[in-house]
Short mmCIF file of all heavy atoms in Angstrom, two decimals:
data_model
loop_
_atom_site.label_atom_id
_atom_site.label_comp_id
_atom_site.label_asym_id
_atom_site.label_seq_id
_atom_site.Cartn_x
_atom_site.Cartn_y
_atom_site.Cartn_z
N VAL O 1 28.21 -35.99 -11.92
CA VAL O 1 28.74 -36.30 -13.21
C VAL O 1 27.63 -36.31 -14.23
O VAL O 1 26.74 -37.17 -14.14
CB VAL O 1 29.49 -37.53 -13.20
CG1 VAL O 1 30.07 -37.85 -14.60
CG2 VAL O 1 30.66 -37.47 -12.16
N GLU O 2 27.68 -35.40 -15.22
CA GLU O 2 26.65 -35.37 -16.28
C GLU O 2 27.20 -36.18 -17.46
O GLU O 2 28.36 -36.34 -17.73
CB GLU O 2 26.39 -33.92 -16.77
CG GLU O 2 25.92 -33.03 -15.62
CD GLU O 2 27.05 -32.06 -15.26
OE1 GLU O 2 28.29 -32.44 -15.28
OE2 GLU O 2 26.72 -30.90 -14.89
N SER O 3 26.16 -36.72 -18.24
CA SER O 3 26.38 -37.39 -19.48
C SER O 3 25.22 -37.17 -20.38
O SER O 3 24.18 -36.88 -20.03
CB SER O 3 26.80 -38.82 -19.25
OG SER O 3 25.62 -39.48 -18.67
N GLY O 4 25.50 -37.42 -21.68
CA GLY O 4 24.37 -37.56 -22.64
C GLY O 4 24.33 -36.37 -23.62
O GLY O 4 23.45 -36.40 -24.50
N GLY O 5 25.16 -35.41 -23.50
CA GLY O 5 25.09 -34.25 -24.33
C GLY O 5 25.75 -34.64 -25.83
O GLY O 5 26.22 -35.72 -25.91
N GLY O 6 25.45 -33.68 -26.61
CA GLY O 6 26.03 -33.99 -28.08
C GLY O 6 25.30 -33.07 -29.06
O GLY O 6 24.65 -32.09 -28.76
N LEU O 7 25.55 -33.44 -30.28
CA LEU O 7 24.98 -32.75 -31.43
C LEU O 7 23.70 -33.38 -31.89
O LEU O 7 23.73 -34.61 -32.19
CB LEU O 7 25.97 -32.64 -32.51
CG LEU O 7 25.56 -32.02 -33.89
CD1 LEU O 7 25.20 -30.52 -33.65
CD2 LEU O 7 26.67 -32.11 -34.87
N VAL O 8 22.64 -32.65 -32.14
CA VAL O 8 21.39 -33.21 -32.61
C VAL O 8 20.72 -32.12 -33.56
O VAL O 8 20.95 -31.00 -33.48
CB VAL O 8 20.43 -33.51 -31.39
CG1 VAL O 8 19.98 -32.18 -30.61
CG2 VAL O 8 19.22 -34.24 -31.92
N GLN O 9 20.00 -32.68 -34.49
CA GLN O 9 19.27 -31.85 -35.44
C GLN O 9 18.00 -31.20 -34.80
O GLN O 9 17.47 -31.75 -33.94
CB GLN O 9 18.92 -32.55 -36.77
CG GLN O 9 20.12 -33.07 -37.51
CD GLN O 9 19.61 -33.76 -38.84
OE1 GLN O 9 18.53 -34.28 -38.89
NE2 GLN O 9 20.56 -33.79 -39.77
N PRO O 10 17.58 -29.97 -35.29
CA PRO O 10 16.31 -29.53 -34.79
C PRO O 10 15.16 -30.57 -34.95
O PRO O 10 15.04 -31.18 -35.96
CB PRO O 10 16.02 -28.30 -35.73
CG PRO O 10 17.46 -27.87 -36.12
CD PRO O 10 18.13 -29.12 -36.25
N GLY O 11 14.31 -30.57 -33.84
CA GLY O 11 13.35 -31.57 -33.83
C GLY O 11 13.76 -32.89 -33.16
O GLY O 11 12.81 -33.84 -32.96
N GLY O 12 15.00 -33.06 -32.96
CA GLY O 12 15.48 -34.29 -32.42
C GLY O 12 15.39 -34.35 -30.87
O GLY O 12 14.89 -33.49 -30.30
N SER O 13 15.98 -35.45 -30.38
CA SER O 13 15.87 -35.66 -28.90
C SER O 13 17.16 -36.06 -28.35
O SER O 13 18.01 -36.63 -29.02
CB SER O 13 14.87 -36.81 -28.61
OG SER O 13 13.60 -36.52 -29.00
N LEU O 14 17.41 -35.72 -27.09
CA LEU O 14 18.51 -36.14 -26.28
C LEU O 14 18.03 -36.40 -24.94
O LEU O 14 17.06 -35.81 -24.40
CB LEU O 14 19.62 -35.06 -26.30
CG LEU O 14 20.52 -34.90 -27.47
CD1 LEU O 14 21.50 -33.70 -27.09
CD2 LEU O 14 21.41 -36.19 -27.75
N ARG O 15 18.77 -37.32 -24.17
CA ARG O 15 18.48 -37.60 -22.80
C ARG O 15 19.74 -37.40 -22.04
O ARG O 15 20.76 -38.05 -22.23
CB ARG O 15 18.00 -39.07 -22.62
CG ARG O 15 17.58 -39.34 -21.16
CD ARG O 15 17.28 -40.83 -20.99
NE ARG O 15 16.50 -41.05 -19.68
CZ ARG O 15 16.57 -42.15 -19.07
NH1 ARG O 15 17.39 -43.22 -19.49
NH2 ARG O 15 15.92 -42.37 -17.98
N LEU O 16 19.74 -36.44 -21.07
CA LEU O 16 20.88 -36.22 -20.19
C LEU O 16 20.69 -36.88 -18.90
O LEU O 16 19.57 -37.10 -18.41
CB LEU O 16 20.97 -34.66 -19.91
CG LEU O 16 21.03 -33.71 -21.04
CD1 LEU O 16 21.26 -32.20 -20.56
CD2 LEU O 16 22.12 -34.11 -22.03
N SER O 17 21.80 -37.37 -18.34
CA SER O 17 21.85 -38.09 -17.02
C SER O 17 22.90 -37.32 -16.15
O SER O 17 23.91 -36.86 -16.57
CB SER O 17 22.29 -39.53 -17.20
OG SER O 17 21.33 -40.21 -18.08
N CYS O 18 22.56 -37.39 -14.82
CA CYS O 18 23.46 -36.88 -13.84
C CYS O 18 23.43 -37.73 -12.61
O CYS O 18 22.40 -37.89 -12.01
CB CYS O 18 22.99 -35.41 -13.43
SG CYS O 18 23.96 -34.76 -12.03
N ALA O 19 24.55 -38.32 -12.33
CA ALA O 19 24.69 -39.20 -11.22
C ALA O 19 25.36 -38.53 -10.05
O ALA O 19 26.51 -38.03 -10.22
CB ALA O 19 25.38 -40.49 -11.57
N ALA O 20 24.78 -38.58 -8.86
CA ALA O 20 25.43 -37.95 -7.69
C ALA O 20 25.91 -39.08 -6.83
O ALA O 20 25.44 -40.07 -6.63
CB ALA O 20 24.33 -37.19 -6.84
N SER O 21 27.10 -38.72 -6.25
CA SER O 21 27.70 -39.63 -5.38
C SER O 21 28.34 -38.93 -4.13
O SER O 21 28.52 -37.70 -4.15
CB SER O 21 28.85 -40.46 -6.10
OG SER O 21 29.85 -39.66 -6.53
N GLY O 22 28.70 -39.64 -3.08
CA GLY O 22 29.16 -39.12 -1.86
C GLY O 22 28.54 -39.79 -0.64
O GLY O 22 27.70 -40.63 -0.71
N SER O 23 28.91 -39.21 0.47
CA SER O 23 28.41 -39.80 1.74
C SER O 23 27.10 -39.19 2.10
O SER O 23 26.99 -38.42 3.08
CB SER O 23 29.39 -39.52 2.81
OG SER O 23 29.75 -38.14 3.02
N ILE O 24 26.03 -39.36 1.34
CA ILE O 24 24.67 -38.98 1.53
C ILE O 24 23.65 -40.13 1.25
O ILE O 24 23.99 -40.97 0.54
CB ILE O 24 24.46 -37.83 0.55
CG1 ILE O 24 24.67 -38.09 -0.86
CG2 ILE O 24 25.15 -36.52 0.94
CD1 ILE O 24 24.10 -37.11 -1.81
N PHE O 25 22.63 -40.08 2.00
CA PHE O 25 21.51 -40.94 1.80
C PHE O 25 20.50 -40.51 0.74
O PHE O 25 19.89 -41.44 0.12
CB PHE O 25 20.92 -41.27 3.07
CG PHE O 25 21.73 -42.00 4.01
CD1 PHE O 25 22.35 -41.30 5.15
CD2 PHE O 25 22.14 -43.34 3.89
CE1 PHE O 25 23.17 -42.08 6.11
CE2 PHE O 25 23.00 -44.04 4.78
CZ PHE O 25 23.46 -43.34 5.86
N SER O 26 20.27 -39.26 0.67
CA SER O 26 19.24 -38.70 -0.20
C SER O 26 19.50 -37.15 -0.51
O SER O 26 20.41 -36.63 0.10
CB SER O 26 17.83 -38.69 0.48
OG SER O 26 17.77 -38.00 1.54
N ILE O 27 18.89 -36.70 -1.55
CA ILE O 27 19.04 -35.33 -2.03
C ILE O 27 17.58 -34.68 -2.16
O ILE O 27 16.77 -35.32 -2.83
CB ILE O 27 19.85 -35.20 -3.29
CG1 ILE O 27 21.10 -35.86 -3.18
CG2 ILE O 27 19.81 -33.78 -3.76
CD1 ILE O 27 22.00 -35.90 -4.42
N TYR O 28 17.42 -33.58 -1.48
CA TYR O 28 16.06 -32.94 -1.55
C TYR O 28 15.60 -32.59 -2.97
O TYR O 28 14.58 -32.99 -3.48
CB TYR O 28 16.01 -31.73 -0.68
CG TYR O 28 14.85 -30.92 -0.93
CD1 TYR O 28 13.54 -31.40 -0.66
CD2 TYR O 28 15.01 -29.67 -1.49
CE1 TYR O 28 12.43 -30.65 -0.98
CE2 TYR O 28 13.75 -28.92 -1.66
CZ TYR O 28 12.54 -29.37 -1.46
OH TYR O 28 11.41 -28.67 -1.72
N ALA O 29 16.53 -31.86 -3.67
CA ALA O 29 16.14 -31.39 -5.00
C ALA O 29 17.34 -31.46 -5.96
O ALA O 29 18.50 -31.38 -5.62
CB ALA O 29 15.66 -29.94 -4.97
N MET O 30 17.00 -31.89 -7.23
CA MET O 30 17.94 -31.87 -8.20
C MET O 30 17.41 -31.14 -9.52
O MET O 30 16.24 -31.10 -9.61
CB MET O 30 18.38 -33.30 -8.64
CG MET O 30 18.95 -34.21 -7.49
SD MET O 30 19.47 -35.74 -8.02
CE MET O 30 21.06 -35.38 -8.75
N GLY O 31 18.32 -30.59 -10.26
CA GLY O 31 17.77 -29.79 -11.36
C GLY O 31 18.82 -29.71 -12.45
O GLY O 31 20.04 -30.15 -12.35
N TRP O 32 18.27 -29.03 -13.52
CA TRP O 32 19.26 -28.79 -14.69
C TRP O 32 19.21 -27.29 -15.06
O TRP O 32 18.07 -26.69 -15.06
CB TRP O 32 18.75 -29.64 -15.93
CG TRP O 32 18.93 -31.06 -15.93
CD1 TRP O 32 18.07 -32.02 -15.38
CD2 TRP O 32 20.21 -31.73 -16.26
NE1 TRP O 32 18.77 -33.27 -15.48
CE2 TRP O 32 20.05 -33.15 -15.95
CE3 TRP O 32 21.45 -31.29 -16.67
CZ2 TRP O 32 21.04 -34.13 -16.13
CZ3 TRP O 32 22.41 -32.25 -16.78
CH2 TRP O 32 22.15 -33.57 -16.66
N TYR O 33 20.32 -26.76 -15.21
CA TYR O 33 20.50 -25.37 -15.66
C TYR O 33 21.23 -25.35 -16.94
O TYR O 33 21.85 -26.31 -17.35
CB TYR O 33 21.27 -24.57 -14.53
CG TYR O 33 20.57 -24.34 -13.30
CD1 TYR O 33 20.31 -25.39 -12.47
CD2 TYR O 33 20.02 -23.07 -12.97
CE1 TYR O 33 19.54 -25.22 -11.24
CE2 TYR O 33 19.34 -22.90 -11.75
CZ TYR O 33 19.15 -23.95 -10.92
OH TYR O 33 18.41 -23.72 -9.75
N ARG O 34 21.14 -24.30 -17.65
CA ARG O 34 21.89 -24.16 -18.91
C ARG O 34 22.36 -22.73 -19.09
O ARG O 34 21.82 -21.84 -18.56
CB ARG O 34 21.07 -24.52 -20.11
CG ARG O 34 19.90 -23.62 -20.45
CD ARG O 34 19.07 -24.14 -21.55
NE ARG O 34 17.97 -23.35 -21.89
CZ ARG O 34 16.93 -23.65 -22.75
NH1 ARG O 34 16.96 -24.85 -23.28
NH2 ARG O 34 15.89 -22.71 -23.11
N GLN O 35 23.51 -22.63 -19.80
CA GLN O 35 23.99 -21.29 -20.07
C GLN O 35 24.52 -21.29 -21.62
O GLN O 35 25.41 -22.08 -21.94
CB GLN O 35 25.28 -21.06 -19.21
CG GLN O 35 25.86 -19.67 -19.34
CD GLN O 35 26.73 -19.34 -18.19
OE1 GLN O 35 27.39 -20.26 -17.66
NE2 GLN O 35 26.89 -18.12 -17.95
N ALA O 36 23.91 -20.44 -22.32
CA ALA O 36 24.24 -20.21 -23.70
C ALA O 36 25.30 -19.08 -23.82
O ALA O 36 25.50 -18.22 -22.83
CB ALA O 36 23.03 -19.81 -24.53
N PRO O 37 26.03 -19.02 -24.87
CA PRO O 37 27.03 -17.90 -25.01
C PRO O 37 26.45 -16.52 -24.93
O PRO O 37 25.47 -16.25 -25.46
CB PRO O 37 27.54 -18.20 -26.45
CG PRO O 37 27.46 -19.67 -26.73
CD PRO O 37 26.09 -19.98 -26.07
N GLY O 38 27.11 -15.80 -24.06
CA GLY O 38 26.64 -14.38 -23.82
C GLY O 38 25.40 -14.24 -22.95
O GLY O 38 24.94 -13.14 -22.87
N LYS O 39 24.90 -15.34 -22.37
CA LYS O 39 23.72 -15.19 -21.55
C LYS O 39 23.99 -15.70 -20.17
O LYS O 39 25.02 -16.46 -19.90
CB LYS O 39 22.56 -16.04 -22.16
CG LYS O 39 22.18 -15.52 -23.56
CD LYS O 39 21.01 -16.39 -24.10
CE LYS O 39 19.72 -16.10 -23.21
NZ LYS O 39 18.55 -16.89 -23.75
N GLN O 40 23.16 -15.41 -19.21
CA GLN O 40 23.21 -15.87 -17.80
C GLN O 40 22.71 -17.22 -17.76
O GLN O 40 21.90 -17.75 -18.57
CB GLN O 40 22.30 -14.94 -16.89
CG GLN O 40 22.68 -13.49 -16.94
CD GLN O 40 23.89 -13.11 -15.90
OE1 GLN O 40 24.55 -14.07 -15.52
NE2 GLN O 40 23.85 -11.91 -15.52
N ARG O 41 23.20 -17.94 -16.73
CA ARG O 41 22.78 -19.38 -16.47
C ARG O 41 21.34 -19.31 -15.95
O ARG O 41 20.92 -18.48 -15.16
CB ARG O 41 23.69 -20.00 -15.41
CG ARG O 41 23.42 -21.46 -15.22
CD ARG O 41 24.30 -22.01 -14.15
NE ARG O 41 25.68 -22.11 -14.69
CZ ARG O 41 26.71 -22.59 -14.06
NH1 ARG O 41 26.54 -23.35 -13.03
NH2 ARG O 41 27.91 -22.51 -14.63
#
């Protein structure tokens, strides 16, 4: 579950969060991807 997105002015800052849940003890790798209109992820 991601959170923290929104509208910001150029030069500004945002902090995104992603919380993982489920029957797991650990996760090897986590990352962020993005997809803009008309472009590949």
